[in-house]
Amino acid sequence: MVNKKVSIIGVGNVGSTLAYALANKGICSSIVLKDIRENIVQAMALDISQSANAAKSHTVVKAAKDGKDLENSDVVVITAGIPRKPGMSRDDLLLTNAKIMKSVIEDVKTYASNAIVIVVSNPLDAMVYTALKTSGFSSNQIVGMAGILDSARMSHFILEKVGFGAGQIESSVMGGHGDDMVPLPNYSTVAGVAITEILSKEEITEIVEKTKNGGLQIVKLLETGSAYYAPAHATSLMVEAILNNQKKIYPCSVYLNGEYGYKDIVAGVPVMLGSKGVEKIFELELNEMQKSLFDNSVKSVQTLVDVLEQKFF
């Protein structure tokens, strides 16, 4: 990990937890934190740096003073954005976060144009699309974190249901990061055995519904805020795959150009992550029901993109 640099733009719960995970695992040599709240980002940099020193990690953590501090980043993670507030429409949230994304991307274009960009901001798929369109970067260079998180949630609910196989559960979720995501039971296994062989249709349906509402469940319980440990860890896996050129296959939100029959849209599909970012997109064999669900999911993302095309770009 010699001279590998990760910049994190947006240092809320997800961004700071990600920095903490990367620093303590020594995944990179340098982490730069950037946020409009200067005192917060300085505090986070100090705290996480001291944690890294306690862990005897070689990672150096610093607060950015301006966009120039992003220079020579190998990976830039964007978590910047606002949550939906009372009285705010979905379109208001979409357009506000699109403006934030455009501003952030300007800095990345200026100072870190060779970096692989991981988008975590919501609404996720629309923000990946915004980052691509406003940056002009190649489609392999920008990737959204969603599928790893959704798959991890599905694995949790499978474990909760079967009661065994902890650490041996592999789950697969496709589509947009939202209510119309597409969990794939026939591609989800416990120690290599498909869950369709272990659980009833009713049990699988329950798991699928819980997966779709996994984030909302946490939001309701927290009352103020949303999940951050699982999103941060999922993002750290992507960072590690890119920095180490691991060629790992993860479900991620990416630009489709003919894959699965779609063009000029973003959706979550299995991809290979390496030093060049999205190095390959895998097209799974979907049954008719899954194709229909995936189509609905893509249409949901398209609805957001249509708003952006009409009111933003």
Side-chain angles (χ1 to χ4, degrees):
M1 303 313 302
V2 177
N3 296 327
K4 293 294 183 181
K5 178 177 178 179
V6 176
S7 293
I8 302 171
I9 304 176
V11 192
N13 285 338
V14 175
S16 58
T17 305
L18 170 63
Y20 173 82
L22 295 176
N24 280 276
K25 289 174 69 177
I27 289 173
C28 51
S29 55
S30 173
I31 297 173
V32 169
L33 305 178
K34 191 173 189 300
D35 198 289
I36 58 172
R37 303 166 303 167
E38 293 183 6
N39 59 324
I40 297 295
V41 76
Q42 288 173 11
M44 290 295 181
L46 283 168
D47 198 7
I48 295 167
S49 180
Q50 290 161 12
S51 170
N53 277 282
K56 305 303 180 186
S57 167
H58 67 277
T59 302
V60 176
V61 186
K62 294 182 178 179
K65 294 180 181 178
D66 52 42
K68 197 172 188 302
D69 290 318
L70 303 178
E71 282 183 340
N72 301 314
S73 295
D74 295 280
V75 175
V76 175
V77 180
I78 302 173
T79 74
I82 65 165
R84 190 175 176 183
K85 298 175 182 177
M88 178 181 278
S89 72
R90 289 182 183 275
D91 283 4
D92 288 340
L93 176 67
L94 172 67
L95 294 170
T96 298
N97 281 348
K99 289 175 185 175
I100 294 170
M101 181 60 67
K102 183 179 180 181
S103 174
V104 168
I105 284 295
E106 286 300 321
D107 269 351
V108 178
K109 282 174 64 178
T110 303
Y111 299 107
S113 59
N114 293 321
I116 303 301
V117 179
I118 299 175
V119 175
V120 186
S121 309
N122 282 314
L124 191 279
D125 305 280
M127 290 303 99
V128 174
Y129 188 89
T130 302
L132 279 163
K133 293 299 180 179
T134 56
S135 68
F137 289 172
S138 60
S139 58
N140 68 290
Q141 202 173 343
I142 297 182
V143 55
M145 189 294 295
I148 301 175
L149 171 62
D150 295 330
S151 297
R153 286 173 172 162
M154 186 174 181
S155 293
H156 165 79
F157 292 120
I158 291 171
L159 177 61
E160 189 178 66
K161 179 63 68 176
V162 301
F164 58 83
Q168 295 180 294
I169 299 173
E170 296 287 343
S171 299
S172 185
V173 179
M174 284 179 55
H177 183 54
D179 297 341
D180 296 309
M181 69 178 72
V182 187
L184 303 174
N186 54 325
Y187 286 101
S188 302
T189 61
V190 179
V193 180
I195 64 168
T196 50
E197 300 294 321
I198 301 172
L199 298 169
S200 67
K201 286 184 179 180
E202 292 75 17
E203 289 172 323
I204 290 173
T205 298
E206 182 185 343
I207 288 168
V208 166
E209 290 307 309
K210 282 186 173 182
T211 300
K212 290 181 177 182
N213 293 291
L216 181 60
Q217 180 185 9
I218 293 172
V219 168
K220 286 180 177 178
L221 289 167
L222 285 174
E223 296 182 354
T224 55
S226 57
Y228 49 95
Y229 290 120
H233 184 74
T235 307
S236 76
L237 295 176
M238 295 173 67
V239 171
E240 192 168 12
I242 293 164
L243 293 183
N244 280 343
N245 195 26
Q246 290 176 333
K247 313 288 187 186
K248 285 202 170 181
I249 300 171
Y250 290 124
C252 299
S253 182
V254 296
Y255 183 82
L256 299 181
N257 188 28
E259 295 86 1
Y260 293 92
Y262 295 96
K263 283 190 173 185
D264 194 32
I265 195 64
V266 169
V269 296
V271 304
M272 180 192 293
L273 287 183
S275 60
K276 296 177 182 177
V278 181
E279 300 195 356
K280 186 174 183 178
I281 295 175
F282 296 91
E283 295 191 59
L284 300 180
E285 284 289 332
L286 303 179
N287 60 37
E288 289 305 313
M289 179 179 288
Q290 290 166 342
K291 286 178 183 177
S292 176
L293 291 171
F294 186 65
D295 184 57
N296 287 337
S297 186
V298 173
K299 284 178 179 176
S300 293
V301 177
Q302 186 66 59
T303 300
L304 298 177
V305 168
D306 288 345
V307 173
L308 291 172
E309 294 288 359
Q310 293 164 13
K311 300 181 179 181
F312 183 73
F313 295 125

